[in-house]
Amino acid sequence: MSKHNIRLKDIAEELGISIPSVSRALNNKADIGEETKRRVFELAEKLHYQRNQFAINFKNQQSFIIGVIIPQIVHHFFSNVISGIIDEAENLGYGVMLYQSNESYESELKGVETFQKSMIDGLIISLSDNTFKVDHLKNLQEHNVPVVLVDKVNPDMDSAKIICDDYKGAYYATEHLISIGKKKIAHITGSLEPHTTRERCKGFESALRHYNLPLVPNLIKKCNLVSREEGYLTTLALLAEPEIPDAIFCATDPTAIGAIKAIKEKGLRIPDDIAVIGFSDWKMSSIVDPPLSSVSQPDFEMGRKAVELVVKEIQLTRENKPVKHETHVMETSLVLRESTLGKSKKVPLN
Amino acid sequence: MSKHNIRLKDIAEELGISIPSVSRALNNKADIGEETKRRVFELAEKLHYQRNQFAINFKNQQSFIIGVIIPQIVHHFFSNVISGIIDEAENLGYGVMLYQSNESYESELKGVETFQKSMIDGLIISLSDNTFKVDHLKNLQEHNVPVVLVDKVNPDMDSAKIICDDYKGAYYATEHLISIGKKKIAHITGSLEPHTTRERCKGFESALRHYNLPLVPNLIKKCNLVSREEGYLTTLALLAEPEIPDAIFCATDPTAIGAIKAIKEKGLRIPDDIAVIGFSDWKMSSIVDPPLSSVSQPDFEMGRKAVELVVKEIQLTRENKPVKHETHVMETSLVLRESTLGKSKKVPLN
DNA sequence: ATGAAAGCGCTAACAG
DNA sequence: CTGTTAGCGCTTTCAT
């Protein structure tokens, strides 16, 4: 049990050679005799030698760990971002530490602290909705830990960023509603604090303007949590307006699902009376009745790209080369289902 | 930029004292002068000293990192297990590294390898459905890295385990169907390889037996992936039987959702003609139409408990004390919704 | 091709 | 109370 782990020293002694020689052999260095190398490998194998990464990390001051902070894992979008991150990190030889902020700034601070204790080489973070200061992240940068912001970004941060084109996604979603003949389109937006929801709102307005549709203030409703409950209540409010909309673009899928519930309860048909489209293409969106059209974000790909950027910066930083922070804007795509298309089109189960 | 990080040495030199004194001060050791301590803290503060955890980890041969391998993050159940893990790990001063196996044995091996490189102190793992050998885990144990199995366990592993009472959950689910007057109850089971599905099947049969209902072989259908698609197809097969069931207990929620789709397509009413109950209480289960009754597992709590066990074993191992591997069986609970209760009972939105 | 020596940053053991 | 010494396991000079 407590038999100490095998060290280079053990192998060296057993073979009657020096420790550096063993090291050189195991690391396939050039200047080492073939015969020696063979004997070292053989014995290492036999003793089940495992390099002590603590020593190596210590020597190189490098952990090969990337820290990841996201608001909530349970969200389908973030699960997929994380999958992309883990995948690409594996490819590049990095491990991934995870922390969730639960949309709390204080939690986010704690996460950064935990990560500093674990000596992460780089950080990928999607900011909590309640994070307005970024000193904790700048602090990391000052300690030569590159930071990459994903999706939920902050203009005060001078760092690499991965965002998706929320503006265009919203524009296309709205354009789609117009294309199926809708004229009185409502928008349920979230808190306008996060960059993402603000862009979605802008894209919506821009599409209306472009197609010469009136921008009716009463048809733009704000809710803070963009939850199902809120979507439900907000839609009920919309339906109580003197002139009700014939389509609703919701800033998130849960809101849209709430909206669907409200519309169905009122005995209205989807999409004939009111079409509904959401944003983010949650897993559950294909399961609700009717299946929800939505704007799909390249979540997995965003994760991959984030790792690519952060590792690039890690390497440049280690080589003391100047780093230029890239911002990657990724394209969204429309996933059209019955909530806007109706039964006409056969929609696959998945 | 490349100004090297502050070390104890820098502080010691600036203050004209020895390095150990600085160490003692910073660590609030007993035998250090108040005045010295004050000066050290002051300067450390001023220089933004941050302890170099690489050195400490190296010295203690300890990372304060727990590795976690699960099949798929996107699954609601696992997301919540992970949340529980991160939460409790934070409490106990540990960070969490994450890896997903995607139900692949090879992937799982890679995960263990990655983790070994990162020198995890302990591992929490939910085995992939294709993992039948556990040498990789035993290897970890031999290197004094405690392993805790969660939910997907393996009898060959001599380790701590967290499981939930699938048998009882299935029993209660079936009993509930009986209690609402159902007599011809079908069961859609998964591959009988994993311990979990096997127990669910046993619980189902046991309840039928206990209530003197016949065990009709044709009403027990197996599908391998327990996916929505499979649930749909399997249910269609069930409905093609000469005598169709009046209730279906599905081994997972996705299967149940597929079942609902099939039943609705056939023009049958839920639950009047056929009641449906699932297992795991996925987020989406409350959203489908009708909302799905299900057996809820204490996912978050399972995660917490896993951390508790693994940390306990880590500590015992470090102190060279004997460790007794505990197995924790956690209770499930029924979440009843319209798919078995009907509209009668007002079901809350959440 | 190999060995000897030094050092990464920190802490524990031992003196005084 | 404080300083000196040593060592965690490995790699990287610098000799030979």
Side-chain angles (χ1 to χ4, degrees):
Chain A
M1 181 53 87
S2 175
K3 60 175 192 307
H4 76 109
N5 288 323
I6 310 296
R7 300 156 301 168
L8 294 190
K9 192 182 181 203
D10 301 313
I11 298 182
E13 282 176 357
E14 181 121 2
L15 256 36
I17 59 178
S18 74
I19 297 175
S21 289
V22 180
S23 170
R24 283 189 271 251
L26 255 17
N27 289 310
N28 279 309
K29 297 283 179 178
D31 46 0
I32 186 74
E34 275 308 319
E35 173 60 10
T36 320
K37 190 188 279 192
R38 205 192 44 71
R39 292 175 59 215
V40 167
F41 267 101
E42 198 171 305
L43 184 56
E45 178 84 2
K46 183 181 150 211
L47 298 178
H48 296 107
Y49 172 74
Q50 283 210 329
R51 36 161 36 95
N52 185 322
Q53 200 68 26
F54 283 123
I56 299 174
N57 290 350
F58 170 53
K59 184 140 206 1
N60 299 332
Q61 294 292 306
Q62 179 167 213
S63 63
F64 286 104
I65 295 176
I66 294 170
V68 175
I69 300 180
I70 39 88
Q72 306 235 58
I73 318 177
V74 282
H75 286 8
H76 194 249
F77 172 72
F78 288 120
S79 295
N80 281 329
V81 171
I82 295 170
S83 295
I85 289 175
I86 293 181
D87 222 66
E88 185 67 11
E90 165 78 26
N91 288 341
L92 301 180
Y94 282 77
V96 173
M97 285 196 65
L98 191 61
Y99 198 86
Q100 42 179 350
S101 64
N102 287 306
E103 301 287 11
S104 144
Y105 171 65
E106 287 70 30
S107 241
E108 205 172 281
L109 290 183
K110 267 168 105 181
V112 169
E113 212 177 305
T114 303
F115 281 171
Q116 276 176 321
K117 226 184 74 176
S118 296
M119 299 276 114
I120 55 168
D121 286 345
L123 177 73
I124 296 174
I125 180 171
S126 192
L127 295 176
S128 102
D129 281 345
N130 300 299
T131 297
F132 308 113
K133 287 187 298 183
V134 289
D135 296 346
H136 53 313
L137 303 181
K138 292 191 171 168
N139 179 40
L140 274 176
Q141 291 179 314
E142 275 158 26
H143 284 271
N144 292 323
V145 177
V147 175
V148 175
L149 263 44
V150 174
D151 196 50
K152 300 292 192 64
V153 300
N154 180 310
D156 294 343
M157 261 308 273
D158 180 24
S159 76
K161 297 176 188 180
I162 314 267
I163 51 181
C164 67
D165 201 332
D166 289 273
Y167 174 87
K168 241 195 241 171
Y171 183 96
Y172 289 144
T174 312
E175 190 175 47
H176 168 62
L177 293 175
I178 296 169
S179 81
I180 58 172
K182 301 300 184 179
K183 307 265 186 237
K184 289 174 295 185
I185 305 176
H187 177 40
I188 300 183
T189 178
S191 150
L192 292 179
E193 208 53 71
H195 167 265
T196 47
T197 32
R198 210 163 50 235
E199 290 296 305
R200 290 173 200 179
C201 193
K202 279 196 211 159
F204 166 75
E205 293 176 351
S206 168
L208 291 192
R209 236 178 278 116
H210 185 262
Y211 286 93
N212 291 316
L213 289 178
L215 225 155
V216 186
N218 276 0
L219 291 186
I220 299 186
K221 299 275 186 204
K222 191 177 128 184
C223 57
N224 287 313
L225 301 173
V226 290
S227 64
R228 194 147 46 94
E229 180 76 32
E230 272 190 325
Y232 174 74
L233 296 173
T234 309
T235 304
L236 286 184
L238 271 174
L239 300 181
E241 293 286 331
E243 196 166 20
I244 71 168
D246 57 10
I248 308 179
F249 165 45
C250 300
T252 71
D253 272 14
T255 332
I257 291 171
I260 287 178
K261 184 180 158 72
I263 296 168
K264 278 165 59 176
E265 269 186 20
K266 285 289 174 190
L268 297 167
R269 292 163 306 159
I270 303 171
D272 304 312
D273 296 320
I274 305 183
V276 179
I277 189 165
F279 207 111
S280 281
D281 194 30
W282 283 34
K283 184 100 188 167
M284 58 176 76
S285 305
S286 61
I287 293 170
V288 290
D289 180 32
L292 179 67
S293 293
S294 190
V295 178
S296 167
Q297 299 165 293
D299 34 31
F300 189 87
E301 215 38 58
M302 290 172 82
R304 287 195 93 99
K305 195 75 195 174
V307 172
E308 194 186 310
L309 289 193
V310 83
V311 168
K312 192 192 283 181
E313 291 207 3
I314 289 170
Q315 284 164 350
L316 288 174
T317 305
R318 300 208 104 230
E319 295 162 9
N320 271 314
K321 292 184 184 157
V323 301
K324 202 166 87 331
H325 299 310
E326 301 176 35
T327 291
H328 263 263
V329 180
M330 317 206 48
E331 291 302 318
T332 58
S333 57
L334 284 182
V335 177
L336 301 180
R337 301 199 183 88
E338 290 178 24
S339 75
T340 60
L341 294 179
K343 295 267 183 191
S344 57
K345 189 166 173 177
K346 172 71 184 163
V347 177
L349 187 61
N350 267 325
Chain B
M1 183 55 81
S2 174
K3 60 173 192 309
H4 78 108
N5 287 324
I6 308 298
R7 299 157 302 169
L8 294 189
K9 190 180 183 203
D10 301 312
I11 298 180
E13 282 176 356
E14 181 121 3
L15 256 35
I17 60 179
S18 74
I19 297 175
S21 287
V22 180
S23 170
R24 283 189 272 253
L26 254 18
N27 288 311
N28 280 308
K29 297 283 178 179
D31 47 359
I32 186 74
E34 274 308 319
E35 173 61 10
T36 319
K37 191 188 279 190
R38 205 190 46 69
R39 290 174 61 214
V40 168
F41 268 100
E42 198 170 305
L43 184 57
E45 178 84 1
K46 183 179 148 211
L47 298 178
H48 296 108
Y49 171 74
Q50 282 210 330
R51 37 162 36 94
N52 185 322
Q53 201 68 26
F54 282 123
I56 298 174
N57 288 351
F58 170 52
K59 186 149 207 349
N60 298 334
Q61 294 290 307
Q62 177 166 213
S63 64
F64 286 104
I65 294 177
I66 296 170
V68 175
I69 299 181
I70 40 88
Q72 306 234 60
I73 318 177
V74 283
H75 286 6
H76 193 248
F77 172 73
F78 289 120
S79 295
N80 282 329
V81 171
I82 295 170
S83 295
I85 290 175
I86 293 181
D87 222 66
E88 186 66 11
E90 164 78 26
N91 288 341
L92 300 180
Y94 283 77
V96 173
M97 284 196 66
L98 192 60
Y99 198 87
Q100 39 179 354
S101 64
N102 288 306
E103 301 287 9
S104 145
Y105 171 64
E106 287 71 28
S107 242
E108 206 173 280
L109 289 183
K110 267 169 105 182
V112 169
E113 213 177 305
T114 303
F115 281 172
Q116 275 176 321
K117 227 184 73 177
S118 296
M119 298 276 115
I120 54 167
D121 287 344
L123 176 74
I124 296 174
I125 181 169
S126 192
L127 294 176
S128 103
D129 280 345
N130 298 300
T131 297
F132 307 113
K133 287 186 300 184
V134 290
D135 296 348
H136 53 313
L137 303 181
K138 291 191 171 169
N139 179 39
L140 275 176
Q141 290 179 316
E142 274 158 26
H143 284 271
N144 292 322
V145 177
V147 175
V148 174
L149 262 44
V150 175
D151 196 48
K152 300 292 192 66
V153 300
N154 180 310
D156 293 344
M157 261 309 271
D158 181 24
S159 73
K161 298 176 187 180
I162 313 268
I163 52 182
C164 68
D165 201 332
D166 288 273
Y167 174 87
K168 243 194 241 172
Y171 183 95
Y172 289 145
T174 311
E175 189 175 47
H176 167 62
L177 293 174
I178 297 170
S179 80
I180 58 173
K182 302 300 185 181
K183 307 265 187 233
K184 290 176 292 185
I185 306 176
H187 177 39
I188 300 183
T189 177
S191 150
L192 291 180
E193 208 53 72
H195 167 265
T196 47
T197 33
R198 210 163 49 235
E199 289 296 304
R200 289 173 201 180
C201 194
K202 280 196 212 161
F204 166 74
E205 294 176 348
S206 167
L208 291 191
R209 235 177 281 117
H210 186 263
Y211 286 93
N212 292 315
L213 290 177
L215 227 156
V216 186
N218 276 359
L219 291 186
I220 299 186
K221 299 274 185 205
K222 191 177 127 183
C223 56
N224 287 315
L225 301 173
V226 289
S227 64
R228 196 145 45 94
E229 181 75 31
E230 271 191 325
Y232 173 74
L233 296 173
T234 308
T235 303
L236 287 183
L238 272 174
L239 299 182
E241 292 286 331
E243 194 167 22
I244 70 169
D246 57 10
I248 308 179
F249 164 46
C250 300
T252 71
D253 272 15
T255 331
I257 291 172
I260 287 179
K261 183 180 158 74
I263 296 169
K264 278 164 62 174
E265 270 186 21
K266 284 289 174 191
L268 296 168
R269 291 162 308 158
I270 302 172
D272 303 313
D273 295 321
I274 304 183
V276 179
I277 189 164
F279 206 111
S280 280
D281 195 30
W282 284 33
K283 185 99 190 168
M284 56 176 75
S285 305
S286 61
I287 293 169
V288 291
D289 181 31
L292 179 67
S293 293
S294 190
V295 178
S296 166
Q297 298 165 293
D299 35 31
F300 189 87
E301 214 41 57
M302 290 172 82
R304 289 192 91 98
K305 196 74 197 175
V307 173
E308 195 187 308
L309 289 193
V310 84
V311 168
K312 192 194 281 182
E313 291 206 3
I314 289 169
Q315 284 164 350
L316 287 174
T317 304
R318 301 208 102 231
E319 295 163 10
N320 270 314
K321 291 186 185 156
V323 301
K324 203 168 84 338
H325 300 310
E326 301 177 34
T327 291
H328 263 262
V329 181
M330 316 204 51
E331 291 302 318
T332 58
S333 56
L334 283 180
V335 177
L336 301 179
R337 300 198 183 89
E338 289 179 23
S339 74
T340 60
L341 293 180
K343 296 267 184 193
S344 59
K345 189 164 172 180
K346 171 70 182 160
V347 178
L349 187 60
N350 268 324

